[in-house]
Amino acid sequence: VQLQASGGGSVQAGGSLRLSCAASRSIHSINAIAWYRQGPGSRRYLVAGITSDGSTNYADSVKGRFTISRDNAKNMVFLQMNSLKPEDTAVYYCNAKEGGTGWGGPYWGQGTQVTVSS
């Protein structure tokens, strides 16, 4: 499956952005889809993930501010980001894992830049 992320941009602290991840085929059977981010000089890590049954997982740093959702009919996954902080600045990637448990599959989108200014 090919993934295409979009929706990044530049906002001021406290603002909102909505990221979209479009899949090239049905995501109905894809167990885990997640958003990762990588800031300058940092490793890439999971921000939010959602399973096929709708279970979600969030990094502590974004709980209460970010919401992940999926639309199986449109083959898309979204990340609504509210109350953005400068430390949210990073390149955001969507990722898909078809089977098994856990997160982190072999399919990655190209990344979309999010920049939050103070």
Side-chain angles (χ1 to χ4, degrees):
V1 59
Q2 294 181 330
L3 304 172
Q4 184 169 0
S6 62
S10 296
V11 297
Q12 290 190 326
S16 298
L17 284 173
R18 188 191 193 207
L19 304 184
S20 299
C21 177
S24 60
R25 61 168 176 80
S26 173
I27 63 170
H28 184 77
S29 63
I30 296 178
N31 183 53
I33 300 181
W35 288 95
Y36 287 71
R37 72 185 183 191
Q38 186 169 17
S42 302
R43 63 178 179 83
R44 191 177 301 186
Y45 70 93
L46 187 144
V47 173
I50 187 167
T51 63
S52 57
D53 66 0
S55 299
T56 57
N57 184 52
Y58 295 95
D60 288 343
S61 59
V62 307
K63 283 181 180 177
R65 300 189 297 122
F66 290 11
T67 302
I68 189 170
S69 61
R70 61 191 287 169
D71 186 335
N72 287 346
K74 296 182 178 180
N75 301 328
M76 295 189 73
V77 174
F78 306 98
L79 185 66
Q80 179 65 43
M81 306 186 296
N82 299 327
S83 302
L84 283 161
K85 304 176 180 180
E87 51 264 42
D88 294 319
T89 294
V91 178
Y92 285 71
Y93 301 87
C94 54
N95 174 273
K97 183 176 183 180
E98 289 191 275
T101 60
W103 308 101
Y107 307 105
W108 290 93
Q110 83 285 9
T112 184
Q113 175 71 47
V114 172
T115 302
V116 185
S117 58
S118 58

